[in-house]
Amino acid sequence: MPFLRDSLETIPHTVAFFSTTCPLPAGTARVELRRGDAVLATLQRSEHAPRVHVLTPNGGERFGGEGELRVAWEAHDPDGDALVFSVLYSVDGGATWDVLAAGARGTEMTYPLGALAGGREALVEVRASDGFHEAGDRSDRTFSVGRKGPLGAAILQPQPGDTFLQGRPVTLRGAGYDLEDGILDGEALRWHSSKDGFLGAGSPLTVTLTVGEHLITLEASDSQRLSTRAEQAVVVQSDFDGDGLSDEEEGRLGLLSPWDPDDADQDADGDGLTNRDELFFGTDMGRGDTDRDGIPDGGEVNQGSDPADRGSTPQPSDLVVAPDRLTFHAVVGGEPPPPQMVMVWHTWPEPLGWTAQADAPWLAVEPAEGETPGTLEIRVSPARLRPGLYDGVVQVAARARAKEVHVRLIVSAPGVRPVRLPLVLQEE
């Protein structure tokens, strides 16, 4: 069976499970499972279909929302075949069905009522199969199952420990699910703050919170007005001057004023980082080289190293192209092969300008110049070339650096297919 072999041939195993669905031609009398010529299993078609009858629940029963639902049935196969059963549940009078059990071999089962959607038009159906024939029976009348409140509510955003600044928008995202109503959204999701009161409904919801500690509550309600809640604590810090730095941080640092909206964007020590950047990277606003490694803090940031760690030094500036070797195959008189792409980037975060040119008339590169990070499209034109091997180079240069992409074009005569042969070296 190819579908089984292909998926498992590289995985060590002794037992494997699989399933497949095949058409059953009319008049089929036997099904065999084979491995090569060996018959592994046989299923013989019997003459009669099985019979099944639901005993309970069979209509009129009233179940609450807790405990267990017991489903019982009786079944018989005139040919004495072994039977397997599937048990299904419908909350809407048979319009839709959910599987409670499959492959059951007894004549009764239980299922937790707390996991069933509730309603007044519930039905169960039992299907019996002997492998070829199938028969089914369902409750004679509907019965009722108690409705439940939402299974749960979850606050997805903000996350635990999130801190916000005064006047900045706060996005609230949440979710809720109910067995009867499904996914809860819109007015079913209502947000509250212990400090600011009702915030609004829906998800996502963007609000502005007052300064202080808030306990954010998401209330998820279903169509029966049953609800559940989730809570998340957040803190909003004061930012009187609106510069994006909390008053507490500015006061702690001493070099900044909570009353000056412009000082966050100044560079007091002339190291190429604003005071806001210094706070983000954990560097000293009053010292241009925080880790004293001889490189200004701003230079280290631009070159990809940590300005607060003396052991972290910038890696050398370098131009990188990849892949640096390409192979194209073409046939005389045929269409040119599709282009291939090459990535170009700089080992520093700083963009680096580059130029590119090819050294062979059959080789083309686009664009001829650009800035990192970028891509090159390399094409070949085999027209007017005879069968053979052609080698060319695309040179990518930036400042004093240059990298090469080696390109090989293999041109074959019509009807000739290139073959790769292994090379074996034998030592005597």
Side-chain angles (χ1 to χ4, degrees):
M1 305 183 70
F3 66 89
L4 186 62
R5 182 190 68 233
D6 293 347
S7 61
L8 294 177
E9 61 182 357
T10 60
I11 304 175
H13 62 281
T14 56
V15 177
F17 298 91
F18 70 94
S19 65
T20 183
T21 302
C22 303
L24 185 66
T28 300
R30 183 176 70 254
V31 174
E32 294 180 348
L33 179 63
R34 293 172 173 262
R35 182 175 184 179
D37 294 330
V39 178
L40 304 180
T42 301
L43 179 64
Q44 191 76 32
R45 185 184 191 120
S46 57
E47 183 177 355
H48 302 95
R51 300 168 187 169
V52 62
H53 176 65
V54 172
L55 300 177
T56 184
N58 206 27
E61 298 92 341
R62 294 184 177 182
F63 299 95
E66 300 179 352
E68 293 184 332
L69 173 69
R70 176 177 173 269
V71 182
W73 60 93
E74 58 183 9
H76 172 69
D77 186 87
D79 305 303
D81 296 330
L83 301 178
V84 293
F85 304 93
S86 298
V87 182
L88 296 88
Y89 172 80
S90 174
V91 72
D92 50 18
T96 60
W97 293 90
D98 294 316
V99 177
L100 301 187
R105 295 189 179 274
T107 55
E108 71 172 63
M109 63 159 292
T110 59
Y111 199 85
L113 286 163
L116 292 176
R120 298 179 180 179
E121 297 186 359
L123 293 169
V124 295
E125 179 172 300
V126 178
R127 298 175 185 172
S129 173
D130 63 5
F132 269 97
H133 304 289
E134 185 176 272
D137 185 44
R138 65 178 59 173
S139 308
D140 291 341
R141 294 183 295 115
T142 60
F143 56 92
S144 66
V145 173
R147 293 179 65 95
K148 293 87 181 171
L151 286 182
I155 295 178
L156 308 177
Q157 190 178 350
Q159 292 290 308
D162 281 355
T163 299
F164 303 94
L165 288 177
Q166 174 185 358
R168 300 299 175 93
V170 177
T171 299
L172 307 176
R173 297 179 186 272
Y177 184 78
D178 182 78
L179 282 171
E180 290 84 23
D181 298 342
I183 296 175
L184 302 176
D185 55 16
E187 290 294 324
L189 301 177
R190 298 173 67 82
W191 299 88
H192 301 264
S193 161
S194 59
K195 196 170 188 298
D196 294 346
F198 177 66
L199 300 175
S203 176
L205 177 69
T206 300
V207 299
T208 301
L209 301 174
T210 57
V211 174
E213 297 181 357
H214 296 254
L215 183 63
I216 303 298
T217 301
L218 170 62
E219 182 179 23
S221 304
D222 63 13
S223 57
Q224 299 297 305
R225 297 185 179 180
L226 300 174
S227 65
T228 188
R229 297 184 176 189
E231 296 179 337
Q232 180 61 59
V234 300
V235 175
V236 177
Q237 298 179 327
S238 60
D239 179 17
F240 181 83
D241 55 14
D243 61 0
L245 303 179
S246 71
D247 296 346
E248 179 182 354
E249 287 177 321
E250 295 195 80
R252 174 175 55 83
L253 295 170
L255 297 176
L256 303 178
S257 168
W259 320 107
D260 183 356
D262 300 321
D263 57 3
D265 293 317
Q266 295 172 357
D267 182 6
D269 53 11
D271 61 359
L273 296 180
T274 66
N275 292 328
R276 188 196 315 276
D277 294 336
E278 303 259 18
L279 185 62
F280 177 81
F281 289 108
T283 51
D284 190 334
M285 296 182 184
R287 179 182 292 132
D289 180 11
T290 299
D291 56 10
R292 301 183 182 183
D293 61 359
I295 304 173
D297 293 342
E300 289 206 61
V301 170
N302 290 332
Q303 297 166 23
S305 61
D306 184 354
D309 180 2
R310 189 168 187 173
S312 172
T313 56
Q315 58 182 321
S317 171
D318 197 10
L319 181 70
V320 181
V321 295
D324 60 2
R325 294 185 180 274
L326 301 175
T327 301
F328 292 85
H329 295 269
V331 177
V332 173
E335 294 293 326
Q340 298 189 42
M341 308 302 293
V342 172
M343 298 293 299
V344 183
W345 70 91
H346 188 200
T347 55
W348 288 2
E350 174 188 356
L352 184 64
W354 50 262
T355 60
Q357 62 179 4
D359 70 349
W362 51 267
L363 185 58
V365 57
E366 292 183 359
E369 60 183 25
E371 195 174 71
T372 59
T375 57
L376 292 174
E377 182 179 271
I378 297 181
R379 295 177 176 270
V380 295
S381 300
R384 302 180 182 178
L385 296 180
R386 295 182 178 182
L389 300 180
Y390 298 84
D391 290 314
V393 173
V394 173
Q395 186 179 76
V396 185
R399 297 177 184 168
R401 309 168 187 83
K403 293 298 174 76
E404 293 182 345
V405 179
H406 294 267
V407 181
R408 167 161 289 188
L409 171 59
I410 303 174
V411 181
S412 305
V416 176
R417 184 178 179 182
V419 177
R420 293 185 177 182
L421 297 177
L423 177 64
V424 179
L425 299 178
Q426 182 174 356
E427 295 183 359
E428 296 182 357

